[in-house]
Amino acid sequence: MRLLLLTVLFVVSVASPATAVGPEAREAPTFNGTVQAVAYLGGTVYVGGTFTKASWGGRIYPRERLAAFDGRTGELLKWAPAADGPVRALATTPGAVFAAGDFHRIAGEKRDSIARLSPTEDTVHSFRADVQGTPYALAAGNGRLYLGGSFSRVNGRKARNLVAFSLLTGKVDGRWRAAADARVHALAVARGQVFLGGSFTKVGAVKGYPRLAAVDATTGALTRRFRPEAPADVNAVTVDGDGVYAAAGGRGGRAAAYRLDGSTRWQRVFDGDATAITTIGGVAYVGGHFDRVCLTARNGAQGTCLDGSVSRVKLAAVTAGGRLTEWKPQANGVIGVRVLASAPNGALDAGGDFTMIGGLLRPRFARF
């Protein structure tokens, strides 16, 4: 019965007006390479990725995989702690910006895959960690910095794709014992829990919580009451007052909203992977590789929608009731959008591999 009701939702769902964000991109820096991470601290927006240059005000500036701009005016700031490899994840706390990725040096100092940076100067803190593997996700909260990825050991200790550091001491928090049997690609901290998304099939030693799960923010113990049915590898996770949202791949791609018991509120199917998701004002914004949103849950080879579709190129928005909105800024490219983030001032930031938004030049970054 649950599947039947879901199908009806898709069939009768029609476009509704967007309520939170406009479709036109605002003034902000652009970049010569991929933007993979966005974070906020005060009025500053921090971005990370593979880029080596940023453009602002008709000029080009060197920015080695990290940059920052004024969240009110869009002006590129002088902050430029160069990293020698891609930055995949960012998180902030008062007085600090944490970066994780494939780098080995940052701001002129040796740091393996993770670093704590000054939010105003091109300097690094003494915090350091030896990560055996690849980090993909960062989140801060509950006095801890949480790291997810595909790794086996951190600072010589066994760590199966998840680890937490004390924000006070910078040391690995041995009390937080969460683990996953495969890659963790996304993290979100809320409600005293850490929500995990990825390709895992077990959390700790427990089966039956594949690809999307929650653990206690203090102990890392599995939250058994949150038991969603994520249909494919989860690429992004976000949480708001209404519940948990996930962007996933699979045959085509899917975005879904879940209640705190894991039951599905709504699900939308695309003709390509959904790789990013965030919410503003009750509306979920989805980014990815897709070009169309399916009218029903049925799709076929290469994600082709079988019961009709509407155009939404790399970006789409869905209401709290699961209805597709009219918001369609239309990005471009094959990979499209890699990250979406909602700013404290209500702006929506999109990063990825696109070069155009709504027919206008916006290389790799756009602010709505």
Side-chain angles (χ1 to χ4, degrees), residues 26-29 31 39-47 56 63 67-79 119 343-345 347 349 365 367:
R26 297 160 54 180
E27 289 298 318
F31 300 90
Y40 309 99
L41 185 61
T44 301
V45 184
Y46 298 89
V47 298
W56 167 255
R63 291 293 186 273
F69 68 90
D70 186 301
R72 182 177 59 86
T73 66
E75 179 182 3
L76 184 70
L77 301 179
K78 293 182 179 180
W79 189 79
N345 66 359
D349 291 315
F365 187 84
R367 164 159 273 214

Side-chain angles (χ1 to χ4, degrees), residues 88-105:
R88 287 198 177 94
L90 293 170
T92 63
T93 61
V97 177
F98 292 91
D102 286 336
F103 53 82
H104 300 288
R105 295 186 69 86

Side-chain angles (χ1 to χ4, degrees), residues 163-208:
V163 72
F165 302 92
S166 166
L167 288 174
L168 181 63
T169 67
K171 296 180 179 179
V172 172
D173 181 355
R175 294 180 300 167
W176 196 75
R177 298 180 178 274
D181 68 341
R183 184 187 67 182
V184 175
H185 199 271
L187 297 172
V189 181
R191 304 172 184 266
Q193 299 172 91
V194 182
F195 294 87
L196 324 169
S199 58
F200 52 85
T201 59
K202 292 195 298 185
V203 179
V206 183
K207 296 181 180 180

